[in-house]
Amino acid sequence: MPMPWHKRNPDLYASEMSAVRRRYPDVAIQFTLGRVCLNGLFPVQAQDGSTIRCYHLAMVFPASYPEWVPDCWMLEPGVQHIADRHMDTKGRACLCLPHEVPDYFPEGIRFETYADRLLTPWLVGQAYFDTHGRWPPWPTREHGKDGIIQGFAELLGISDPAATDRYARLLVREKPAKGHELCPCGSSRKLRDCHEDLYRRSREAIPKTAMEMYRKYFVLYDRAPASNIPLLS
């Protein structure tokens, strides 16, 4: 088992927890099953710096941090754990699609940027939902598998959902596709004679952790097509 990040890099741990304390003074730093966890009240602030309200959250840093982002759960009493609030039935936050993580953190994952780019917009959305009964009018994707397919369609630059589904499954497959396999575009041609370059470029753009997550998602969606699995965990 690899050494957890806070032991492997104590200087990074000290710096990141200092950032946590500065930004969220009401949050406790804990260790659960050897992982760094945060638990407490996370504020939603107005533009003038005043606090609109706070939400009780739990956050778990992965052992591989900062190679991957923390998980976040909603613990606030009275908040429904529903897809329209961009969380699953256990309260796990849906912050972005897994393959988009490098786009949010081109310079590397750090807690401050995670809070700015993923956590804060999600919290603002929660406050808006509590006031208006709906998510803010921001560009969003569908929930569950449909949202994943939309994200892959954007990555690939294609619009056919069925072809996108085939591409996505081939892209995240553990073993890379070989040139003699059929191209997922539906042309009935071999991959090497069709969209092999698109396949190779897209596969290289997807982090290993994201591929592992997508493989699990597709298995679960095949078993329960109507389920809304969180898109980032």
Side-chain angles (χ1 to χ4, degrees), residues 164-224:
T164 304
D165 185 88
R166 293 192 296 269
Y167 264 111
R169 292 169 186 270
L170 190 64
L171 282 168
V172 305
R173 198 176 72 184
E174 188 168 3
K175 292 185 178 180
K178 295 184 178 181
H180 66 266
E181 297 185 55
L182 288 178
C183 184
C185 74
S187 67
S188 298
R189 291 190 292 175
K190 294 180 180 180
L191 183 62
R192 63 170 169 255
D193 299 323
C194 203
H195 289 96
E196 185 173 22
D197 287 345
L198 175 61
Y199 166 78
R200 304 294 178 199
R201 289 197 311 271
S202 301
R203 185 174 170 91
E204 290 174 0
I206 302 175
K208 180 181 177 181
T209 301
M211 286 193 178
E212 293 170 352
M213 294 169 65
Y214 282 130
R215 285 197 288 270
K216 294 177 182 177
Y217 290 167
F218 283 124
V219 168
L220 292 172
Y221 285 132
D222 288 343
R223 292 175 181 171

Side-chain angles (χ1 to χ4, degrees), residues 7-219:
K7 293 184 178 179
R8 186 174 65 249
N9 194 334
D11 290 339
L12 175 63
Y13 169 75
S15 174
E16 292 291 78
M17 294 307 104
S18 177
V20 169
R21 293 185 185 96
R22 285 195 308 271
R23 185 157 186 154
Y24 302 114
D26 296 323
V27 168
I29 300 170
Q30 305 168 336
F31 289 90
T32 303
L33 299 176
R35 295 198 177 186
V36 179
C37 305
L38 308 181
N39 192 313
L41 296 178
F42 288 73
V44 180
Q45 295 181 323
Q47 291 184 343
D48 62 5
S50 61
T51 298
I52 298 172
R53 68 160 297 171
C54 295
Y55 289 96
H56 185 189
L57 306 180
M59 190 178 297
V60 179
F61 287 73
S64 62
Y65 186 85
E67 295 177 12
W68 201 249
V69 292
D71 253 340
C72 182
W73 282 267
M74 174 66 76
L75 303 181
E76 184 69 18
V79 172
Q80 285 185 293
H81 298 166
I82 55 175
D84 284 346
R85 297 191 74 134
H86 290 259
M87 66 181 85
D88 72 359
T89 55
K90 295 183 179 180
R92 181 181 291 179
C94 170
L95 302 177
C96 74
L97 285 171
H99 73 264
E100 293 177 320
V101 168
D103 298 331
Y104 281 95
F105 306 100
E107 70 282 10
I109 298 169
R110 290 295 183 269
F111 182 77
E112 287 279 9
T113 50
Y114 168 80
D116 287 338
R117 299 172 189 177
L118 290 180
L119 181 61
T120 294
W122 184 77
L123 285 171
V124 170
Q126 301 306 320
Y128 187 95
F129 195 101
D130 283 334
T131 301
H132 301 281
R134 65 182 186 277
W135 199 252
W138 301 333
T140 57
R141 300 189 182 96
E142 298 295 328
H143 304 305
K145 181 183 176 182
D146 288 343
I148 289 178
I149 297 304
Q150 288 173 349
F152 272 98
E154 294 168 13
L155 173 69
L156 295 161
I158 61 178
S159 57
D160 178 29
T164 304
D165 185 88
R166 293 192 296 269
Y167 264 111
R169 292 169 186 270
L170 190 64
L171 282 168
V172 305
R173 198 176 72 184
E174 188 168 3
K175 292 185 178 180
K178 295 184 178 181
H180 66 266
E181 297 185 55
L182 288 178
C183 184
C185 74
S187 67
S188 298
R189 291 190 292 175
K190 294 180 180 180
L191 183 62
R192 63 170 169 255
D193 299 323
C194 203
H195 289 96
E196 185 173 22
D197 287 345
L198 175 61
Y199 166 78
R200 304 294 178 199
R201 289 197 311 271
S202 301
R203 185 174 170 91
E204 290 174 0
I206 302 175
K208 180 181 177 181
T209 301
M211 286 193 178
E212 293 170 352
M213 294 169 65
Y214 282 130
R215 285 197 288 270
K216 294 177 182 177
Y217 290 167
F218 283 124
V219 168

